[in-house]
Amino acid sequence: MPVVLIAAALAVVGLARVRHNPEAPPAGGDAGAAGPAVSGVPDRQTLRDLMPPGVRIGSAVDGRGLSLDPAYRTLLGAEFNGITAENAMKWRNLEPAPGVHAWTGADQIIEFAQQHGQAVYGHTLVWHSDVPKWVSPDWPPERIRAVLREHVTTVVSRYRGRVWGWDVVNEVLDEDGTLRDTLWLRKLGPGYVADAFRWAHAADPAARLFINDYGVEGRTRKADALLQLVRELRRSGVPVDGVGFQSHLRWDQPPRDLVGNLRRFAQAGVSVAVTELDVRVALPATPAKLEQQAKLYRQVLRACLAVPACVSFTVWGFTDARSWIPGYHRGYGAACLFDDSLAPKPAHAALLDELRRQPPRSGTGPSPG
Ligand code: XIL
């Protein structure tokens, strides 16, 4: 079937996916389909307008912003062609009681994405955090395994064809590169990682499956261990398609050899993605700090665009008004592209400028897959 027809068919069934087909029409091209002219849409080129084909620009989305703040919705739709649920798809929020699901928040995000031509990145299936309280560490391994499997299968099946990629496992490594001591590791042994990927793949064979972590952006010990883990998993036939680099960075600590690090993962045959970028500054935020921050945002975007296997670049929230940073990193804040009143910061200008400087791509999309 000609590529145009395939793309048209996907559009008809509402499948907004990252295009891995090098001949697919440019991702930036659907920016115009972001919806009718809405008041508040910036009267300038946006990030998604300028993003090269084959690479998504995404943001994590906050449920309250989405349901309560029209200006937030407008900017989210205008600037990004990818979206990640900041919290709505975490297990604790999805299944408050055994077998009782609360899908509304996640469904709203999927719907918003469909209306705005955005790809949904699913976050996250297996994590040591945000496990529902009813999952008891006192249960025997078989029971733990059964509920985990059921969770992965139910969620991935529900969103089959509507979520292009999943963080299947999140933060499975410790700082020293060993597997993190979690309920899953203690009860199920290291094989739970491979199992999770196999369950997710069985539930949606077309979804791209990622292993996601922090502290792995530069050439760290943890990054070395992650690379080794990915190689081992793939050698054993485990369907790991990609590695997510969270990228919660500090304005004064650029990662070491980001490009080289992304490249060595790409050489292992996987896609790479910047999944949760923010750049926190020590408060008070001064103009000088915000300039440094802008440089770092630019550096990460440039690195992603320099590596053909980099399929998406996602920020962890786009406005300081709703960022998780002040609540979790005492003394830090101002980590996002837009300020508290949704005005663009130097970091946003730096990304636009970086995108304008990119040489036009000759249809070479992300390599794997
Ligand atoms: C954070 C959210 O941003 C907060 O709103 C929530 O209270 C805690 O989780 N790594 C991850 C994300 O993978 O899920 C975390 O998100 C940030 C760190």
Side-chain angles (χ1 to χ4, degrees):
M1 202 195 302
V3 171
V4 181
L5 285 185
I6 297 173
L10 286 177
V12 167
V13 293
L15 292 181
R17 283 174 180 271
V18 165
R19 296 185 186 92
H20 296 278
N21 183 336
E23 295 184 317
D30 57 18
V38 183
S39 66
V41 170
D43 184 21
R44 53 161 170 78
Q45 282 185 307
T46 64
L47 296 170
R48 70 182 282 175
D49 292 339
L50 293 167
M51 207 63 184
V55 194
R56 289 278 170 178
I57 175 120
S59 176
V61 58
D62 168 75
R64 264 168 306 184
L66 198 64
S67 27
L68 303 176
D69 183 350
Y72 178 95
R73 288 170 65 89
T74 301
L75 208 48
L76 179 65
E79 293 281 358
F80 302 97
N81 59 17
I83 195 169
T84 305
E86 183 168 353
N87 291 302
M89 292 187 182
K90 290 172 181 172
W91 191 359
R92 186 179 292 191
N93 297 329
L94 282 184
E95 196 176 357
V100 178
H101 287 92
W103 300 113
T104 313
D107 284 357
Q108 269 170 0
I109 289 168
I110 301 261
E111 215 171 283
F112 183 90
Q114 286 181 344
Q115 288 164 358
H116 294 82
Q118 295 169 321
V120 178
Y121 187 82
H123 175 81
T124 172
L125 299 168
V126 181
W127 193 21
H128 61 277
S129 178
D130 283 41
V131 179
K133 291 230 163 55
W134 54 263
V135 175
S136 166
D138 301 330
W139 288 349
E142 314 79 67
R143 187 158 176 204
I144 296 274
R145 190 179 149 83
V147 289
L148 187 62
R149 180 178 190 157
E150 183 64 31
H151 162 62
V152 171
T153 305
T154 305
V155 176
V156 177
S157 305
R158 178 180 177 87
Y159 294 118
R160 183 180 170 137
R162 293 186 289 168
V163 165
W164 77 268
W166 278 102
D167 282 334
V168 176
V169 296
N170 193 30
E171 304 179 347
V172 295
L173 291 179
D174 239 320
E175 310 313 305
D176 67 358
T178 59
L179 280 178
R180 184 191 288 269
D181 180 20
T182 65
L183 174 66
W184 318 123
L185 183 67
R186 284 195 294 276
K187 290 284 178 168
L188 308 177
Y192 83 88
V193 174
D195 285 343
F197 277 94
R198 293 195 172 108
W199 297 332
H201 183 68
D204 183 356
R208 312 277 302 167
L209 304 182
F210 284 75
I211 180 167
N212 192 48
D213 218 319
Y214 65 88
V216 291
E217 296 75 24
R219 284 184 186 264
T220 58
R221 201 165 150 204
K222 189 171 173 182
D224 295 346
L226 180 60
L227 181 59
Q228 205 186 325
L229 175 60
V230 168
R231 285 199 183 118
E232 277 164 21
L233 289 167
R234 287 177 59 86
R235 214 178 297 130
S236 325
V238 178
V240 179
D241 300 306
V243 175
F245 299 80
Q246 289 189 6
S247 313
H248 295 292
L249 304 177
R250 258 176 62 160
W251 96 106
D252 57 345
Q253 290 183 352
R256 190 161 65 94
D257 190 16
L258 181 56
V259 176
N261 192 46
L262 294 181
R263 283 209 175 114
R264 63 185 183 146
F265 280 85
Q267 277 158 12
V270 286
S271 300
V272 297
V274 174
T275 50
E276 304 184 15
L277 176 63
D278 50 23
V279 180
R280 60 187 182 271
V281 304
L283 298 172
T286 61
K289 287 180 193 169
L290 295 182
E291 281 306 326
Q292 277 297 116
Q293 173 186 63
K295 272 194 191 152
L296 206 32
Y297 266 100
R298 180 196 288 270
Q299 186 199 336
V300 179
L301 177 64
R302 187 181 289 169
C304 173
L305 297 179
V307 178
C310 188
V311 292
S312 88
F313 173 90
T314 294
V315 294
W316 203 242
F318 59 91
T319 161
D320 292 341
R322 298 184 179 276
S323 165
W324 73 303
I325 290 294
Y328 282 79
H329 293 272
R330 191 180 281 269
Y332 289 86
C336 300
L337 297 174
F338 293 83
D339 71 12
D340 283 326
S341 34
L342 299 185
K345 293 162 61 183
H348 181 264
L351 294 189
L352 287 179
D353 181 63
E354 187 59 32
L355 288 169
R356 291 196 180 104
R357 284 165 192 254
Q358 288 294 310
R361 291 198 172 189
S362 51
T364 43
S367 52

PDB file of all heavy atoms in Angstrom, residues 86-87 90 123 127 170-171 212 246 248 276 316 324 328, ligand 1:
ATOM      1  N   GLU A  86       1.560  12.723  33.198  1.00  0.00           N
ATOM      2  CA  GLU A  86       2.517  12.904  34.299  1.00  0.00           C
ATOM      3  C   GLU A  86       2.213  11.933  35.434  1.00  0.00           C
ATOM      4  O   GLU A  86       3.125  11.373  36.043  1.00  0.00           O
ATOM      5  CB  GLU A  86       2.470  14.351  34.798  1.00  0.00           C
ATOM      6  CG  GLU A  86       3.492  14.633  35.884  1.00  0.00           C
ATOM      7  CD  GLU A  86       3.666  16.102  36.197  1.00  0.00           C
ATOM      8  OE1 GLU A  86       3.088  16.953  35.482  1.00  0.00           O
ATOM      9  OE2 GLU A  86       4.392  16.417  37.166  1.00  0.00           O
ATOM     10  N   ASN A  87       0.960  11.723  35.720  1.00  0.00           N
ATOM     11  CA  ASN A  87       0.576  10.819  36.811  1.00  0.00           C
ATOM     12  C   ASN A  87      -0.600   9.896  36.487  1.00  0.00           C
ATOM     13  O   ASN A  87      -0.780   8.870  37.129  1.00  0.00           O
ATOM     14  CB  ASN A  87       0.212  11.643  38.060  1.00  0.00           C
ATOM     15  CG  ASN A  87       1.432  12.327  38.661  1.00  0.00           C
ATOM     16  OD1 ASN A  87       2.410  11.672  39.026  1.00  0.00           O
ATOM     17  ND2 ASN A  87       1.400  13.646  38.722  1.00  0.00           N
ATOM     18  N   LYS A  90      -0.226   6.050  36.171  1.00  0.00           N
ATOM     19  CA  LYS A  90       0.495   5.286  37.194  1.00  0.00           C
ATOM     20  C   LYS A  90      -0.484   4.328  37.868  1.00  0.00           C
ATOM     21  O   LYS A  90      -1.678   4.634  38.029  1.00  0.00           O
ATOM     22  CB  LYS A  90       1.157   6.242  38.186  1.00  0.00           C
ATOM     23  CG  LYS A  90       2.321   6.987  37.519  1.00  0.00           C
ATOM     24  CD  LYS A  90       2.904   8.095  38.360  1.00  0.00           C
ATOM     25  CE  LYS A  90       4.040   8.786  37.586  1.00  0.00           C
ATOM     26  NZ  LYS A  90       4.532  10.003  38.258  1.00  0.00           N
ATOM     27  N   HIS A 123       3.162   6.155  30.415  1.00  0.00           N
ATOM     28  CA  HIS A 123       4.075   6.195  31.567  1.00  0.00           C
ATOM     29  C   HIS A 123       3.279   5.866  32.817  1.00  0.00           C
ATOM     30  O   HIS A 123       2.327   6.574  33.099  1.00  0.00           O
ATOM     31  CB  HIS A 123       4.688   7.591  31.654  1.00  0.00           C
ATOM     32  CG  HIS A 123       5.547   7.815  32.864  1.00  0.00           C
ATOM     33  ND1 HIS A 123       6.854   7.391  32.929  1.00  0.00           N
ATOM     34  CD2 HIS A 123       5.300   8.409  34.065  1.00  0.00           C
ATOM     35  CE1 HIS A 123       7.373   7.736  34.106  1.00  0.00           C
ATOM     36  NE2 HIS A 123       6.450   8.355  34.815  1.00  0.00           N
ATOM     37  N   TRP A 127       6.915   0.008  38.213  1.00  0.00           N
ATOM     38  CA  TRP A 127       7.742   0.977  38.940  1.00  0.00           C
ATOM     39  C   TRP A 127       7.677   0.584  40.410  1.00  0.00           C
ATOM     40  O   TRP A 127       6.690  -0.028  40.843  1.00  0.00           O
ATOM     41  CB  TRP A 127       7.144   2.379  38.714  1.00  0.00           C
ATOM     42  CG  TRP A 127       7.980   3.547  39.103  1.00  0.00           C
ATOM     43  CD1 TRP A 127       9.331   3.586  39.275  1.00  0.00           C
ATOM     44  CD2 TRP A 127       7.500   4.890  39.357  1.00  0.00           C
ATOM     45  NE1 TRP A 127       9.728   4.869  39.593  1.00  0.00           N
ATOM     46  CE2 TRP A 127       8.624   5.681  39.657  1.00  0.00           C
ATOM     47  CE3 TRP A 127       6.238   5.488  39.363  1.00  0.00           C
ATOM     48  CZ2 TRP A 127       8.532   7.047  39.952  1.00  0.00           C
ATOM     49  CZ3 TRP A 127       6.147   6.839  39.650  1.00  0.00           C
ATOM     50  CH2 TRP A 127       7.275   7.613  39.935  1.00  0.00           C
ATOM     51  N   ASN A 170      10.347   1.334  34.874  1.00  0.00           N
ATOM     52  CA  ASN A 170      10.862   2.659  35.213  1.00  0.00           C
ATOM     53  C   ASN A 170      11.806   2.538  36.399  1.00  0.00           C
ATOM     54  O   ASN A 170      11.459   1.913  37.409  1.00  0.00           O
ATOM     55  CB  ASN A 170       9.667   3.561  35.575  1.00  0.00           C
ATOM     56  CG  ASN A 170      10.024   5.033  35.648  1.00  0.00           C
ATOM     57  OD1 ASN A 170      10.924   5.508  34.944  1.00  0.00           O
ATOM     58  ND2 ASN A 170       9.316   5.772  36.490  1.00  0.00           N
ATOM     59  N   GLU A 171      13.004   3.102  36.239  1.00  0.00           N
ATOM     60  CA  GLU A 171      13.956   3.214  37.360  1.00  0.00           C
ATOM     61  C   GLU A 171      14.291   1.865  37.991  1.00  0.00           C
ATOM     62  O   GLU A 171      14.253   1.728  39.215  1.00  0.00           O
ATOM     63  CB  GLU A 171      13.404   4.188  38.406  1.00  0.00           C
ATOM     64  CG  GLU A 171      13.084   5.558  37.818  1.00  0.00           C
ATOM     65  CD  GLU A 171      12.516   6.556  38.818  1.00  0.00           C
ATOM     66  OE1 GLU A 171      12.128   6.149  39.931  1.00  0.00           O
ATOM     67  OE2 GLU A 171      12.450   7.752  38.481  1.00  0.00           O
ATOM     68  N   ASN A 212      13.129   2.954  31.074  1.00  0.00           N
ATOM     69  CA  ASN A 212      13.292   4.383  31.351  1.00  0.00           C
ATOM     70  C   ASN A 212      14.038   4.579  32.673  1.00  0.00           C
ATOM     71  O   ASN A 212      13.767   3.875  33.648  1.00  0.00           O
ATOM     72  CB  ASN A 212      11.880   4.993  31.457  1.00  0.00           C
ATOM     73  CG  ASN A 212      11.843   6.505  31.454  1.00  0.00           C
ATOM     74  OD1 ASN A 212      12.472   7.145  30.610  1.00  0.00           O
ATOM     75  ND2 ASN A 212      11.101   7.092  32.388  1.00  0.00           N
ATOM     76  N   GLN A 246      15.386  10.026  31.303  1.00  0.00           N
ATOM     77  CA  GLN A 246      14.489  10.978  31.964  1.00  0.00           C
ATOM     78  C   GLN A 246      14.990  12.412  31.826  1.00  0.00           C
ATOM     79  O   GLN A 246      14.238  13.315  31.512  1.00  0.00           O
ATOM     80  CB  GLN A 246      14.329  10.617  33.443  1.00  0.00           C
ATOM     81  CG  GLN A 246      13.510   9.368  33.688  1.00  0.00           C
ATOM     82  CD  GLN A 246      13.194   9.152  35.160  1.00  0.00           C
ATOM     83  OE1 GLN A 246      13.486   9.996  36.025  1.00  0.00           O
ATOM     84  NE2 GLN A 246      12.600   8.021  35.469  1.00  0.00           N
ATOM     85  N   HIS A 248      16.190  14.700  34.229  1.00  0.00           N
ATOM     86  CA  HIS A 248      15.889  15.730  35.230  1.00  0.00           C
ATOM     87  C   HIS A 248      17.233  16.353  35.603  1.00  0.00           C
ATOM     88  O   HIS A 248      17.983  15.809  36.410  1.00  0.00           O
ATOM     89  CB  HIS A 248      15.204  15.121  36.446  1.00  0.00           C
ATOM     90  CG  HIS A 248      13.850  14.559  36.119  1.00  0.00           C
ATOM     91  ND1 HIS A 248      12.789  15.367  35.756  1.00  0.00           N
ATOM     92  CD2 HIS A 248      13.397  13.289  36.068  1.00  0.00           C
ATOM     93  CE1 HIS A 248      11.730  14.604  35.506  1.00  0.00           C
ATOM     94  NE2 HIS A 248      12.070  13.344  35.677  1.00  0.00           N
ATOM     95  N   GLU A 276      11.753  12.967  30.035  1.00  0.00           N
ATOM     96  CA  GLU A 276      11.225  13.773  31.149  1.00  0.00           C
ATOM     97  C   GLU A 276      12.092  15.001  31.412  1.00  0.00           C
ATOM     98  O   GLU A 276      12.382  15.343  32.571  1.00  0.00           O
ATOM     99  CB  GLU A 276      11.178  12.928  32.437  1.00  0.00           C
ATOM    100  CG  GLU A 276      10.388  11.647  32.312  1.00  0.00           C
ATOM    101  CD  GLU A 276      10.271  10.868  33.633  1.00  0.00           C
ATOM    102  OE1 GLU A 276      10.553  11.417  34.711  1.00  0.00           O
ATOM    103  OE2 GLU A 276       9.886   9.688  33.561  1.00  0.00           O
ATOM    104  N   TRP A 316       9.208  17.534  31.014  1.00  0.00           N
ATOM    105  CA  TRP A 316       8.367  17.063  32.117  1.00  0.00           C
ATOM    106  C   TRP A 316       7.531  18.218  32.644  1.00  0.00           C
ATOM    107  O   TRP A 316       7.810  18.813  33.675  1.00  0.00           O
ATOM    108  CB  TRP A 316       9.225  16.427  33.217  1.00  0.00           C
ATOM    109  CG  TRP A 316       8.417  15.461  34.052  1.00  0.00           C
ATOM    110  CD1 TRP A 316       8.158  15.542  35.391  1.00  0.00           C
ATOM    111  CD2 TRP A 316       7.768  14.264  33.593  1.00  0.00           C
ATOM    112  NE1 TRP A 316       7.370  14.474  35.782  1.00  0.00           N
ATOM    113  CE2 TRP A 316       7.123  13.681  34.698  1.00  0.00           C
ATOM    114  CE3 TRP A 316       7.651  13.640  32.339  1.00  0.00           C
ATOM    115  CZ2 TRP A 316       6.381  12.493  34.594  1.00  0.00           C
ATOM    116  CZ3 TRP A 316       6.916  12.461  32.247  1.00  0.00           C
ATOM    117  CH2 TRP A 316       6.303  11.909  33.367  1.00  0.00           C
ATOM    118  N   TRP A 324       6.672  19.726  39.016  1.00  0.00           N
ATOM    119  CA  TRP A 324       6.845  18.927  40.228  1.00  0.00           C
ATOM    120  C   TRP A 324       8.080  19.353  41.033  1.00  0.00           C
ATOM    121  O   TRP A 324       8.227  18.992  42.191  1.00  0.00           O
ATOM    122  CB  TRP A 324       6.995  17.444  39.855  1.00  0.00           C
ATOM    123  CG  TRP A 324       8.327  17.093  39.231  1.00  0.00           C
ATOM    124  CD1 TRP A 324       8.876  17.647  38.107  1.00  0.00           C
ATOM    125  CD2 TRP A 324       9.280  16.136  39.715  1.00  0.00           C
ATOM    126  NE1 TRP A 324      10.100  17.080  37.852  1.00  0.00           N
ATOM    127  CE2 TRP A 324      10.375  16.155  38.816  1.00  0.00           C
ATOM    128  CE3 TRP A 324       9.315  15.255  40.806  1.00  0.00           C
ATOM    129  CZ2 TRP A 324      11.493  15.319  38.987  1.00  0.00           C
ATOM    130  CZ3 TRP A 324      10.430  14.430  40.952  1.00  0.00           C
ATOM    131  CH2 TRP A 324      11.510  14.476  40.061  1.00  0.00           C
ATOM    132  N   TYR A 328       9.540  18.595  45.132  1.00  0.00           N
ATOM    133  CA  TYR A 328      10.406  17.418  45.314  1.00  0.00           C
ATOM    134  C   TYR A 328      11.886  17.755  45.467  1.00  0.00           C
ATOM    135  O   TYR A 328      12.664  16.941  45.949  1.00  0.00           O
ATOM    136  CB  TYR A 328      10.231  16.446  44.139  1.00  0.00           C
ATOM    137  CG  TYR A 328       8.972  15.628  44.250  1.00  0.00           C
ATOM    138  CD1 TYR A 328       7.734  16.172  43.907  1.00  0.00           C
ATOM    139  CD2 TYR A 328       9.001  14.326  44.739  1.00  0.00           C
ATOM    140  CE1 TYR A 328       6.564  15.433  44.025  1.00  0.00           C
ATOM    141  CE2 TYR A 328       7.841  13.580  44.854  1.00  0.00           C
ATOM    142  CZ  TYR A 328       6.627  14.146  44.495  1.00  0.00           C
ATOM    143  OH  TYR A 328       5.477  13.411  44.620  1.00  0.00           O
TER     144      TYR A 328
HETATM  145  C1  XIL B   1       6.511  12.773  39.376  1.00  0.00           C
HETATM  146  C2  XIL B   1       5.377  13.735  39.066  1.00  0.00           C
HETATM  147  O1  XIL B   1       5.877  14.787  38.278  1.00  0.00           O
HETATM  148  C3  XIL B   1       4.775  14.267  40.344  1.00  0.00           C
HETATM  149  O2  XIL B   1       3.623  15.068  40.050  1.00  0.00           O
HETATM  150  C4  XIL B   1       4.386  13.101  41.250  1.00  0.00           C
HETATM  151  O3  XIL B   1       3.880  13.591  42.461  1.00  0.00           O
HETATM  152  C5  XIL B   1       5.579  12.199  41.487  1.00  0.00           C
HETATM  153  O4  XIL B   1       6.086  11.762  40.253  1.00  0.00           O
HETATM  154  N1  XIL B   1      10.506  10.215  37.500  1.00  0.00           N
HETATM  155  C6  XIL B   1       9.360   9.702  36.942  1.00  0.00           C
HETATM  156  C7  XIL B   1       8.105  10.467  37.049  1.00  0.00           C
HETATM  157  O5  XIL B   1       9.423   8.680  36.246  1.00  0.00           O
HETATM  158  O6  XIL B   1       6.966   9.628  37.100  1.00  0.00           O
HETATM  159  C8  XIL B   1       8.098  11.383  38.248  1.00  0.00           C
HETATM  160  O7  XIL B   1       6.937  12.176  38.187  1.00  0.00           O
HETATM  161  C9  XIL B   1       9.350  12.230  38.260  1.00  0.00           C
HETATM  162  C10 XIL B   1      10.572  11.370  38.348  1.00  0.00           C
END
